Amino acid sequence: MVIETDRLIIRDIELPDGEAFIHMALDGSLNDVGFGKDCSYWMDDWIIKAQNLAREDDPRKNYLAYAIEDKITGLPAGAVGCTFYEDLEKVGITYFIGADFRNNGYASEAIKAYVCYFFEHYDENEIIATIREDNLPSWKTIERVGFSLTEKKMYRDINDAKEKLYRFYLAQRNQQF
């Protein structure tokens, strides 16, 4: 899969991307998305699984993850894709941007492009976002691209030890992005 925007290329993840993702995780800012400082131990396995899932191309299977590449530098800036929330029976957007690439609008650009791709390629009428209340940059980004806040509630995501306050968002097929 390849999506091009003005400044980004969203593409299948490759094994060499792991080094950049490991570097991004070292500052601890990706803990919420499951990329802790120890992710170097399992990064290759995660990428191989992501490649296999991308070949199966089923957003309800597990997850689909794609690298966000900065066109100018050619470096991975983060990742975007989706995951299936079994407990909610919904597909949700996933994304992260490394600290070196933040505050440039890359997350917004990648999310918009991926959501358009998602609705064009899958028989899904909606995609959700679940974002912890304390993750202000992330929920501001998701609101900026057009997701609508549907509720706030206590929720325990896959990487959470206990329930935390989350914001739940929704984007629908007929929306403009």
Side-chain angles (χ1 to χ4, degrees):
M1 186 270 285
V2 176
I3 303 168
E4 286 200 43
T5 69
D6 289 341
R7 302 176 301 156
L8 305 172
I9 298 171
I10 300 167
R11 58 167 174 75
D12 290 332
I13 289 178
E14 301 167 354
L15 279 172
D17 297 328
E19 187 176 320
F21 293 160
I22 291 165
H23 174 74
M24 290 175 203
L26 290 177
D27 68 1
S29 67
L30 301 182
N31 288 344
D32 290 343
V33 294
F35 283 64
K37 293 179 182 180
D38 65 345
C39 66
S40 62
Y41 297 109
W42 50 261
M43 184 60 68
D44 284 354
D45 292 338
W46 181 83
I47 290 174
I48 290 166
K49 183 176 180 180
Q51 290 171 329
N52 290 333
L53 289 167
R55 278 190 283 282
E56 292 178 33
D57 201 24
D58 182 353
R60 290 182 169 262
K61 175 99 182 204
N62 192 333
Y63 66 87
L64 296 172
Y66 304 97
I68 301 169
E69 181 181 307
D70 179 325
K71 279 185 177 178
I72 293 172
T73 66
L75 298 173
V80 66
C82 63
T83 191
F84 185 65
Y85 288 86
E86 290 180 16
D87 57 337
L88 303 172
E89 295 184 4
K90 303 226 180 241
V91 179
I93 186 98
T94 59
Y95 58 93
F96 68 83
I97 299 292
D100 294 342
F101 295 93
R102 291 183 190 144
N103 301 313
N104 292 307
Y106 286 175
S108 296
E109 193 171 326
I111 292 166
K112 284 180 187 179
Y114 184 76
V115 169
C116 289
Y117 172 88
F118 179 85
F119 287 132
E120 288 172 7
H121 288 84
Y122 303 111
D123 188 25
E124 298 285 339
N125 291 317
E126 63 184 30
I127 189 167
I128 65 167
T130 61
I131 303 171
R132 278 208 340 245
E133 177 69 22
D134 63 356
N135 189 347
L136 179 68
S138 192
W139 58 260
K140 288 288 189 186
T141 298
I142 212 75
E143 288 177 0
R144 190 176 310 112
V145 299
F147 279 65
S148 301
L149 179 65
T150 58
E151 68 179 318
K152 293 182 191 181
K153 69 178 180 180
M154 297 300 288
Y155 180 68
R156 184 173 175 246
D157 203 355
I158 194 166
N159 295 315
D160 295 337
K162 61 182 181 175
E163 282 190 342
K164 298 178 181 184
L165 184 59
Y166 272 81
R167 300 168 74 94
F168 286 75
Y169 291 88
L170 176 68
Q172 296 177 311
R173 177 179 292 280
N174 59 357
Q175 282 181 251
Q176 290 289 87
F177 289 94

